[in-house]
């Protein structure tokens, strides 16, 4: 719908992913409009429909907990659901809770400005909608803006080019094709084994090898499902009390406490646990002690050398430059095994980087590869990318991109000073993907909604955070990061996956319970760090 008339609403929510959808439900006692760029709900699970796309957290956990009937009536077919099932679930929730009446699809937000006299945001969409609202909730996602490295010659390539995060709904036919695949992160390791089965030839251009643990995905057995359903309210609470809001087994002993044989046995068990991420929590200090971390790295390298038959390929696949878990551990099915196929070739794009696309394929600094299809699984301009793409002007006409030019600054990951009445869910310096995002997203929406409800009750129309509170929060983020090994890996966590992007670690690695407690106590202590008027 295109209109030049300005509509007055209470709240604009940006994004109809899982957090945005729950925000509509939680705040529907206001006049709420949700603006969504895609033509369907589900956010990440709407856009990332590449072959093999699948969640890496058990679906009984990675689902909404806000409605007991919903969690009782829904059944997941597998332990780790595939994208079509997650999208089906998002659509079911949208229908069941009548969320669509609040959502405007194919209607991305183009710009927004804050009116300091009226304490209202003016929001403009690419379709020409103009809205004015008291509050904006940016549920824009951490992994929304695809990263497309600027290789020269893209336009010359005569074949097909795809980015995994913009996959065509009708799918891609790889049969009989020579496929070049760039990117060996979580996305690449899921997509490639499936593409390799169909394509004539698959060339994998690897810049940095990934640590990948087998997912152990399987049909969800009824006893497991019923056991969860019998205990859901309690389980949801337990999840929020764990580091990653997920019920893996968190060991309480150090890796140093064991003999080499005992360690090997524990790691073998974790590897076969069918519980994603168990390797990272097999000892309490995998993510904090470099020596223990290296023991786990070496265990995985041993697995790679055993699985991959060609020793040179195996060696190239062994990560040696960063700690395991320093960037997100990949969870896959048959990834390393794929390299034993005759039609798969691993190309070292570190020693010989990709130089350009050509009319007939792709050229590295040393070799030309003839290709029919190029797939880029090159990740995202993460955390800040979605917000940076909206022209956001706060107080004194200050632009958010200018404020964040050296990296994002926030208070509690929820607000940024000088941009009042703008709340972010999974914003910069929240745990984001360090914790299970549906459950923690619900938690953040509830916390935000409580603040908004209190604004009305207390007679305020404007809420901002102080620069001092932002500085203190940055110190907290830095302090917890110094206790973990995440800072030793270049990844989307610290923006180092994007050339020239500034800022340090953009996620909070102090664990979800500490994060939640700091958010709760800030509000309970008389809105510490906030200014309400
Ligand atoms: O992106 P990534 P992703 N030349 O940034 C390579 C979530 N997720 O889409 O490491 C050559 O991890 C880059 O190489 P390097 C999850 O949180 C979850 O895979 O920078 N290569 C890397 O190999 C995950 O962390 C699920 O050297 C280039 C790859 O592209 C996040 O999404 C599934 C390059 C990008 O890896 C992002 O994962 C999928 C260049 N110029 C994703 N530029 C599940 O739930 C980039 N690369 C299972």
């Amino acid at each position: 719908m295109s209109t030049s008339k300005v509509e007055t609403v209470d709240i604009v929510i940006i994004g109809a992913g899982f957090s945005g959808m729950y925000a509509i439900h939680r705040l529907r006692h206001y006049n709420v409009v949700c603006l969504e760029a895609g033509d369907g709900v589900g956010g990440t699970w709407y856009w990332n429909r590449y072959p093999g796309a699948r969640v890496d957290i058990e679906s009984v956990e990675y689902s909404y907990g806000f409605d007991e009937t919903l969690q009782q009536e829904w059944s997941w077919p597998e332990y780790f659901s595939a994208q079509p099932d997650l999208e089906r679930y998002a659509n079911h929730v949208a229908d069941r809770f009548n969320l669509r009446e609040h959502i405007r699809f194919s209607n991305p937000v183009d710009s927004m400005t804050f009116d300091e006299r009226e304490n209202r945001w003016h929001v403009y969409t690419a379709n020409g909608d103009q809205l004015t609202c008291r509050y904006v909730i940016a549920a824009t996602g951490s992994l929304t803006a695809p990263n497309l490295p600027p290789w020269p010659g893209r336009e010359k390539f005569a074949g097909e080019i795809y980015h995994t995060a913009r996959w065509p709904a009708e799918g891609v036919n790889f049969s009989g094709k020579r496929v070049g695949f760039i990117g060996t992160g979580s996305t690449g390791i899921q997509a490639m084994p499936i593409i390799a089965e169909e394509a004539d030839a698959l060339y994998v251009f690897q810049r940095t090898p990934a640590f990948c643990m087998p997912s152990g995905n399987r049909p969800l057995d009824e006893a497991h499902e019923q056991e969860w359903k019998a205990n859901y309210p309690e389980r949801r609470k337990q999840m929020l009390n764990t580091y990653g809001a997920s019920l893996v087994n968190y060991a309480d002993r150090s890796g140093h406490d064991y003999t080499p044989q005992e360690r090997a046995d524990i790691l073998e068990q974790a590897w076969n646990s069918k519980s994603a991420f168990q390797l990272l929590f097999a000892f309490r200090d995998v993510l904090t002690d470099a020596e223990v971390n290296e023991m786990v790295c070496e265990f995985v390298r041993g697995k790679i050398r055993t699985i991959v038959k060609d020793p040179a390929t195996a060696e190239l696949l062994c990560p040696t430059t960063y700690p395991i878990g320093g960037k997100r551990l990949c969870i896959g099915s048959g990834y390393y095994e794929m390299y034993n196929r005759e039609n798969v070739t691993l190309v070292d794009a570190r020693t010989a980087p990709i130089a350009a696309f050509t009319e007939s394929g792709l050229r590295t600094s040393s070799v030309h590869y003839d290709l029919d299809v190029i797939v880029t699984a090159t990740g995202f301009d993460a955390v800040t990318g979605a917000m940076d793409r909206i022209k956001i002007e706060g107080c004194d006409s200050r632009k958010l991109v200018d404020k964040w030019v050296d990296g994002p600054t926030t208070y509690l990951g929820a607000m940024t000073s000088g941009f009042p009445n703008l709340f972010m869910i999974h914003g910069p310096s929240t745990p984001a993907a360090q914790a299970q995002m549906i459950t923690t997203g619900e938690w953040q929406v509830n916390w935000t909604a409580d603040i908004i409800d209190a604004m009305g009750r207390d007679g305020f129309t404007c809420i901002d955070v102080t620069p001092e509170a932002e500085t203190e929060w940055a110190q907290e983020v830095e302090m917890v990061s110094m206790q973990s090994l995440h800072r030793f890996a270049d990844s989307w966590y610290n923006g180092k996956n994007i050339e020239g992007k500034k800022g340090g670690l953009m996620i909070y690695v102090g664990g979800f319970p500490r994060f939640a407690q700091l958010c709760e106590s800030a509000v309970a202590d008389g809105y510490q760090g906030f200014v309400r008027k």
Side-chain angles (χ1 to χ4, degrees):
M1 182 184 71
S2 175
T3 171
S4 54
K5 192 168 156 276
V6 178
E7 299 166 66
T8 301
V9 301
D10 297 322
I11 300 174
V12 165
I13 295 165
I14 309 177
F18 278 90
S19 296
M21 287 167 64
Y22 176 58
I24 298 171
H25 178 70
R26 173 66 179 75
L27 289 158
R28 68 190 327 158
H29 51 292
Y30 299 102
N31 183 352
V32 173
V33 169
C34 174
L35 299 165
E36 165 56 47
D39 65 8
V41 292
T44 283
W45 300 107
Y46 166 89
W47 294 106
N48 289 273
R49 44 185 80 237
Y50 59 84
R54 182 179 291 288
V55 68
D56 54 7
I57 311 262
E58 274 198 39
S59 288
V60 286
E61 297 190 16
Y62 190 80
S63 47
Y64 286 122
F66 69 86
D67 187 276
E68 178 61 12
T69 314
L70 171 68
Q71 53 188 9
Q72 290 299 329
E73 73 193 7
W74 185 262
S75 276
W76 295 104
E78 296 176 279
Y79 270 74
F80 300 96
S81 290
Q83 178 273 335
D85 288 319
L86 285 150
E87 196 184 5
R88 191 166 57 82
Y89 176 69
N91 277 292
H92 170 75
V93 173
D95 292 335
R96 196 184 180 294
F97 295 94
N98 297 319
L99 303 182
R100 286 179 213 279
E101 62 194 42
H102 297 276
I103 307 173
R104 296 186 191 170
F105 291 104
S106 306
N107 207 351
V109 175
D110 185 49
S111 63
M112 47 193 260
T113 55
F114 188 68
D115 179 336
E116 289 171 69
R117 278 170 309 145
E118 299 196 351
N119 291 331
R120 296 185 74 82
W121 281 98
H122 294 274
V123 179
Y124 306 88
T125 75
N127 292 359
D129 289 6
Q130 297 182 39
L131 300 102
T132 163
C133 58
R134 178 72 68 210
Y135 303 105
V136 173
I137 297 182
T140 41
S142 312
L143 298 159
T144 305
N147 169 37
L148 297 165
W151 291 295
R154 285 182 81 91
E155 64 301 334
K156 288 191 201 146
F157 181 56
E160 304 154 58
I161 305 181
Y162 300 99
H163 191 289
T164 41
R166 291 293 176 272
W167 205 254
E170 63 281 9
V172 177
N173 179 7
F174 290 103
S175 78
K177 308 242 173 87
R178 296 160 303 177
V179 181
F181 198 104
I182 309 171
T184 52
S186 299
T187 300
I189 62 95
Q190 288 188 325
M192 284 188 276
I194 294 171
I195 296 173
E197 283 178 15
E198 200 185 331
D200 219 29
L202 178 71
Y203 295 91
V204 181
F205 294 87
Q206 172 189 272
R207 190 166 64 177
T208 311
F211 286 107
C212 177
M213 177 178 161
S215 76
N217 186 38
R218 58 217 183 273
L220 187 60
D221 68 78
E222 210 186 318
H224 187 70
E225 180 181 359
Q226 290 314 325
E227 207 258 327
W228 266 82
K229 286 188 172 177
N231 295 291
Y232 250 131
E234 190 51 33
R235 291 277 160 87
R236 297 282 182 203
K237 277 190 216 140
Q238 285 170 0
M239 283 156 67
L240 290 173
N241 281 326
T242 66
Y243 177 89
S246 176
L247 296 183
V248 294
N249 290 322
Y250 297 87
D252 51 14
R253 289 180 64 189
S254 162
H256 293 293
D257 292 349
Y258 298 99
T259 65
Q261 187 55 50
E262 285 169 337
R263 269 197 302 269
D265 291 346
I266 290 170
L267 290 173
E268 189 65 33
Q269 254 180 29
W271 178 265
N272 294 316
S273 65
K274 298 182 176 167
S275 172
F277 300 107
Q278 191 58 53
L279 268 185
L280 300 184
F281 300 102
F283 310 118
R284 68 151 198 266
D285 43 8
V286 178
L287 295 175
T288 52
D289 182 308
E291 274 179 43
V292 173
N293 189 282
E294 177 54 25
M295 295 167 191
V296 183
C297 292
E298 197 43 37
F299 172 83
V300 178
R301 290 182 205 122
K303 286 289 178 195
I304 297 170
R305 290 175 187 126
T306 311
I307 296 168
V308 179
K309 295 196 179 115
D310 173 49
T313 305
E315 229 34 59
L316 198 50
L317 285 168
C318 284
T320 54
T321 54
Y322 61 95
I324 189 168
K327 51 171 113 184
R328 190 167 174 98
L329 179 63
C330 299
I331 308 294
S333 293
Y335 174 62
Y336 294 127
E337 291 81 350
M338 175 191 83
Y339 289 96
N340 293 330
R341 295 179 67 100
E342 299 236 316
N343 66 337
V344 176
T345 308
L346 181 61
V347 178
D348 181 358
R350 169 76 58 189
T351 326
I354 296 164
F357 287 27
T358 67
E359 197 173 319
S360 57
L362 196 155
R363 188 160 39 77
T364 68
S365 58
S366 61
V367 179
H368 185 273
Y369 294 86
D370 288 330
L371 301 168
D372 303 303
V373 184
I374 298 174
V375 179
T376 54
T378 41
F380 301 87
D381 179 0
V383 184
T384 54
M387 295 288 276
D388 283 351
R389 278 159 179 74
I390 302 171
K391 297 183 251 337
I392 302 177
E393 257 184 40
C395 297
D396 304 320
S397 305
R398 187 165 190 208
K399 294 183 173 56
L400 187 62
V401 277
D402 291 340
K403 181 178 176 191
W404 284 0
V405 71
D406 291 322
T409 52
T410 71
Y411 178 46
L412 302 168
M415 297 190 79
T416 187
S417 154
F419 296 79
N421 294 4
L422 167 61
F423 294 94
M424 294 170 284
I425 309 296
H426 295 309
S429 71
T430 57
Q434 276 294 289
Q436 194 264 92
M437 290 184 83
I438 296 189
T439 304
T440 57
E442 276 183 273
W443 187 94
Q444 285 175 54
V445 167
N446 285 332
W447 180 80
T448 305
D450 287 346
I451 290 175
I452 290 175
D453 286 344
M455 289 288 290
R457 270 201 316 272
D458 298 344
F460 296 115
T461 56
C462 182
I463 179 164
D464 200 351
V465 294
T466 65
E468 296 75 26
E470 274 188 7
T471 305
E472 276 171 32
W473 183 242
Q475 286 162 356
E476 160 73 17
V477 173
E478 169 77 3
M479 188 270 290
V480 293
S481 87
M482 294 310 283
Q483 294 168 10
S484 92
L485 299 173
H486 291 91
R487 65 190 190 284
F488 298 117
D490 292 352
S491 75
W492 67 263
Y493 289 176
N494 53 20
K496 296 243 173 80
N497 64 325
I498 304 286
E499 215 178 308
K501 188 163 174 172
K502 290 192 191 152
L505 198 60
M506 293 186 296
I507 54 168
Y508 182 79
V509 295
F512 188 76
R514 182 176 169 91
F515 169 78
Q517 189 265 320
L518 290 168
C519 291
E520 276 170 351
S521 59
V523 170
D525 286 353
Y527 288 88
Q528 282 288 327
F530 292 90
V531 179
R532 299 193 304 163
K533 50 188 186 198

